[in-house]
Amino acid sequence: DLTRTPSGSSGGTGVAIAGYLSHQFLERSARKQVLEQARLMMGAAGGMRTYTSKQVGPLLKAHQQRINRFLPQTVPAYSATEVFTYLRSTYPDYSYKEASLNPTNLRNRAVDWENDVIQIFRNHPDMKEFSSERETPGGRMLFLAKPLTVDMPCLQCHSTPEQAPAAMIKVYGADHGFGWNVGEPIAAQIVSVPMTVPLTLANQAFKTLIVSLGAISLITLFLLDLAIILVVIRPV
């Protein structure tokens, strides 16, 4: 019995280490899977921005001038945010925001941690994407961010209050959302998701792995016992 204890202990330790490493691998894989899902959602939001800018906006602007009323549906950021709101009915754990340092619509104003993300893009102009985790009162969150830089069409509404549409000034005022410069990272697309999502995926995959390995082990033992009976015991 004493001679069997070390081997049994080392065997149990080996199983524990293998289980730990497997869970860590599955957790990293689940995190990558969630980030990839966030990229797809951000890509959909970006597509909606382009569609609004090139097709919806020009049509609505003519109507907007006739009725002398500002229509937020002409704004790419507004359209992308609204579309993502509908998307959340299918993916309730994911949230989307176009956080801006100096927005026209104050619902897009960046909070402290979002300001830090935008500053990272401003300090590293070549950076195309940034992901990390942060603590919140509701638990740890995983987020993916991409920069939004100012281009020439943006200046039609965001250069000076005098050049902006009067109808927009009437809705949002003239004290914010101006002074943007071409090429400047002024905002960031941010998709956030609770860390419980990848952890749940990892735990489910780990349980499936353990059950599968257990079943394979039982089947293997049964086949080995059967082979011993047929090949060794019965002939003897």
Side-chain angles (χ1 to χ4, degrees):
D1 291 337
L2 292 175
T3 58
R4 294 177 182 175
T5 301
S7 61
S9 176
S10 61
T13 302
V15 171
I17 292 174
Y20 173 78
L21 294 177
S22 297
H23 192 275
Q24 291 296 307
F25 172 77
L26 292 171
E27 187 174 318
R28 288 193 296 271
S29 296
R31 190 179 189 275
K32 291 180 180 178
Q33 179 182 341
V34 170
L35 285 175
E36 188 59 35
Q37 186 70 49
R39 288 187 186 95
L40 290 173
M41 293 180 175
M42 194 174 290
M48 188 62 205
R49 287 176 58 90
T50 302
Y51 175 69
T52 300
S53 177
K54 293 187 175 181
Q55 298 191 40
V56 178
L59 293 174
L60 289 181
K61 284 179 180 178
H63 178 64
Q64 181 175 263
Q65 292 174 353
R66 286 197 300 269
I67 64 175
N68 193 28
R69 183 166 64 89
F70 180 74
L71 299 175
Q73 290 80 7
T74 61
V75 181
Y78 177 88
S79 298
T81 303
E82 291 299 306
V83 167
F84 204 94
T85 300
Y86 292 118
L87 188 62
R88 289 197 69 189
S89 62
T90 305
Y91 299 94
D93 293 319
Y94 292 77
S95 60
Y96 175 82
K97 182 178 178 181
E98 297 201 0
S100 175
L101 298 175
N102 182 19
T104 300
N105 189 338
L106 293 180
R107 79 172 181 177
N108 298 326
R109 174 168 287 175
V111 297
D112 290 343
W113 73 271
E114 294 166 341
N115 283 330
D116 294 337
V117 172
I118 298 171
Q119 282 301 137
I120 290 174
F121 290 128
R122 292 168 75 91
N123 295 333
H124 302 85
D126 295 332
M127 183 178 289
K128 304 301 181 184
E129 180 181 291
F130 176 72
S131 64
S132 186
E133 300 172 18
R134 67 185 185 90
E135 293 290 347
T136 72
R140 196 160 185 80
M141 298 287 290
L142 174 66
F143 69 87
L144 176 72
K146 291 187 177 182
L148 290 172
T149 57
V150 180
D151 55 18
M152 285 300 297
C154 295
L155 299 185
Q156 296 176 6
C157 297
H158 298 286
S159 56
T160 63
E162 292 74 22
Q163 294 185 358
M168 188 189 81
I169 298 294
K170 185 177 180 180
V171 174
Y172 296 113
D175 58 346
H176 50 82
F178 303 101
W180 294 11
N181 299 307
V182 174
E184 177 185 30
I186 195 66
Q189 292 177 290
I190 301 177
V191 175
S192 301
V193 60
M195 275 300 296
T196 53
V197 173
L199 291 178
T200 299
L201 290 174
N203 290 336
Q204 291 174 346
F206 185 70
K207 290 178 182 177
T208 301
L209 175 65
I210 293 300
V211 171
S212 300
L213 290 177
I216 292 172
S217 298
L218 290 174
I219 294 173
T220 302
L221 287 174
F222 173 77
L223 293 176
L224 286 174
D225 288 343
L226 183 61
I228 291 173
I229 292 172
L230 296 176
V231 176
V232 179
I233 296 177
R234 281 193 175 181
V236 172

